[in-house]
Amino acid sequence: MLGRWTYFRTVLTRHDKCLLGAVLVSLIALTLPHVLPLRATSLLQGQVSLRSSIYADEHTDEVQWLNREKLHWMCRVQAEYASKACGFSLSFDPSFDWRGAYGLRITLAAQSKNTFFRVYLRNSPPSVAAEQAEDAQYNLMMLPAHEANHSLEIAFSEFNLADWWLASHAVPSRYSTAQFDRVTSFGVDLSSPAVVGDHELRLSELAVLRPYITPKSTYLAVLGLWLVLLLWLSVQWVRLQRTLARQMQANLAAMHTAVDEYEAKTPAFCAIPQQDELTGIYNRPGFIEYWRQACRVWGDHDQVALLMVNLDHFAELAENWGADIQERALVAVANSLKSRIRPQDKLARWQEGQFILLSPHTQQAEALLLAEKLRHHIHLITLDDTQPVVLTVSIGVVLFRTREPLERAYARCQNRLNEERVLGNRVVDCGGAAA
């Protein structure tokens, strides 16, 4: 396990580690709102301005304080009526905005034979004035009596708008959603119909429950994290590209200097008489003379690649397409080769339908790649628009050292091509440098 960790630390780049760290932080942050406990803020012991009151239907009920400081009161239902009004209310000044809260925690001690109690919150919209408190939204939930006498958490999602409030304000049922943006009061009263007799209740705890981190803020934080990270990665990428561009320019300048120095100590191009009159490149004698002069400058162990380019079906061109097609093919192939070789590479027309290319200080893989590119570009050449002639070449690649005679390297390449029985339009690896 430790070995794998060391391996990943070695392989991963700094950007990879940043991305993996951001993914880990995002996963942890997205789970925090669902894992962390709720934060309870007491409304009875805090710095909240409260006004407590009790109320009752004067015709049927009687209500009295048993201990006002401890919010302990009693309701007495005196007769059987369909509707009863007896309860307790806490008014808040100023109002509370509980839109981001989860709910309430209450502890209601009750000695009552009633089946349910009504727990309600009045929410006053901005359009409702203080003297019109009865118009505030009446959000309620039914609390079973057997759930009293112990601490209880009530989610705001359990509250609904009272039917009588919806009917009196002519609010369509599809808009009957409880609101908690301007909560002005909290209350508990007897559900209707209430049982005749005494009902003793005491509110010992009232606290609002809020999450430490809301899902919305978590999502925004994760989004901000990724925006900052992507911006930082973009800046790093731009800086890296500029650094690479400067390095490339410096490398190109150094390469140009090296090529100039190489050309300065390499023998100059042979005289005009030793050029091929048709193609303008070295002819065979001129190339051999260049090779003799170059060997005096190069060391015995310098590595050279020789590419033998054979034009496929060269003899059949004149028979099938006319006398001048061979010359046009040689010129086209020579021009294609000249346009795609390095300044230090030397090209010559060796014999009918064959060219040789000398690439000094070249590895075998580089020479094979160069040969494949040359073969591909020559295959794109077409002659005679009326009846197009497509040219193909077979290229042999051999690697040798300057101490080995050129004729021997040429013979090794030619023998390998003969052994392969080249069908045309392919590149053949004729081996590396001789020991």
Side-chain angles (χ1 to χ4, degrees), residues 385-423:
D385 296 336
T386 58
Q387 296 181 345
V389 178
V390 179
L391 301 179
T392 62
V393 293
S394 300
I395 304 177
V397 180
V398 63
L399 204 68
F400 69 103
R401 301 190 186 279
T402 53
R403 66 182 180 184
E404 182 182 0
L406 178 65
E407 296 79 2
R408 184 186 300 175
Y410 175 86
R412 286 199 294 123
C413 188
Q414 186 65 54
N415 293 337
R416 184 60 182 273
L417 287 175
N418 293 336
E419 292 174 0
E420 292 286 337
R421 296 181 180 179
V422 177
L423 298 178

Side-chain angles (χ1 to χ4, degrees), residues 70-355:
K70 294 184 177 181
L71 303 180
H72 187 188
W73 76 98
M74 182 188 71
C75 286
R76 177 171 295 164
V77 180
Q78 300 177 350
E80 293 282 354
Y81 284 89
S83 177
K84 301 291 184 293
C86 183
F88 158 82
S89 176
L90 278 179
S91 299
F92 308 131
D93 187 19
S95 60
F96 287 119
D97 185 356
W98 287 345
R99 283 176 293 184
Y102 166 77
L104 297 175
R105 178 186 293 163
I106 67 172
T107 301
L108 184 66
Q111 295 181 7
S112 172
K113 295 181 179 180
N114 224 43
T115 307
F116 289 94
F117 301 108
R118 291 190 304 186
V119 178
Y120 65 87
L121 293 169
R122 302 301 293 265
N123 188 78
S124 179
S127 58
V128 176
E131 60 272 9
Q132 299 174 326
E134 65 276 2
D135 292 333
Q137 291 181 346
Y138 193 88
N139 308 311
L140 65 85
M141 62 87 58
M142 304 302 293
L143 176 65
H146 68 272
E147 294 186 7
N149 299 313
H150 62 273
S151 181
L152 177 67
E153 293 183 358
I154 304 175
F156 285 150
S157 58
E158 300 181 42
F159 286 85
N160 295 296
L161 284 174
D163 294 336
W164 64 264
W165 190 90
L166 292 173
S168 62
H169 291 78
V171 177
S173 59
R174 62 178 178 273
Y175 298 127
S176 58
T177 303
Q179 304 292 329
F180 304 97
D181 55 337
R182 291 168 59 91
V183 178
T184 57
S185 63
F186 164 85
V188 180
D189 59 15
L190 302 180
S191 63
S192 180
V195 178
V196 175
D198 293 341
H199 304 269
E200 185 177 337
L201 297 95
R202 182 170 64 89
L203 182 66
S204 58
E205 181 184 12
L206 177 62
V208 61
L209 302 176
R210 297 178 182 272
Y212 284 96
I213 304 175
T214 62
K216 181 179 179 180
S217 61
T218 302
Y219 299 150
L220 291 177
V222 171
L223 180 61
L225 169 66
W226 280 98
L227 288 177
V228 172
L229 179 61
L230 293 178
L231 179 62
W232 179 76
L233 290 177
S234 300
V235 173
Q236 294 295 319
W237 184 82
V238 171
R239 293 180 58 185
L240 177 61
Q241 294 300 315
R242 291 180 177 177
T243 303
L244 292 177
R246 290 194 296 267
Q247 292 180 352
M248 186 176 296
Q249 292 177 355
N251 292 338
L252 288 176
M255 290 174 61
H256 283 303
T257 303
V259 170
D260 293 340
E261 294 177 354
Y262 178 84
E263 289 293 331
K265 69 176 185 179
T266 302
F269 201 89
C270 293
I272 296 297
Q274 298 197 43
Q275 286 182 300
D276 182 65
E277 296 180 356
L278 178 63
T279 60
I281 61 177
Y282 276 121
N283 57 18
R284 186 167 182 167
F287 185 83
I288 293 175
E289 179 62 25
Y290 166 79
W291 172 255
R292 290 174 181 172
Q293 297 181 30
C295 287
R296 299 172 185 172
V297 179
W298 295 332
D300 291 341
H301 297 281
D302 287 341
Q303 194 164 256
V304 183
L306 181 67
L307 280 69
M308 184 184 299
V309 183
N310 292 326
L311 189 59
D312 297 330
H313 312 295
F314 180 73
E316 301 173 4
L317 290 177
E319 298 176 3
N320 298 331
W321 306 96
D324 65 333
I325 198 71
Q326 286 184 331
E327 294 184 355
R328 293 175 56 192
L330 291 173
V331 172
V333 172
N335 291 335
S336 179
L337 293 174
K338 285 191 296 183
S339 63
R340 292 177 175 85
I341 61 176
R342 302 173 301 178
Q344 63 267 33
D345 298 337
K346 300 305 175 184
L347 177 66
R349 180 182 174 190
W350 194 253
Q351 59 185 9
E352 291 295 328
Q354 185 181 81
F355 300 85

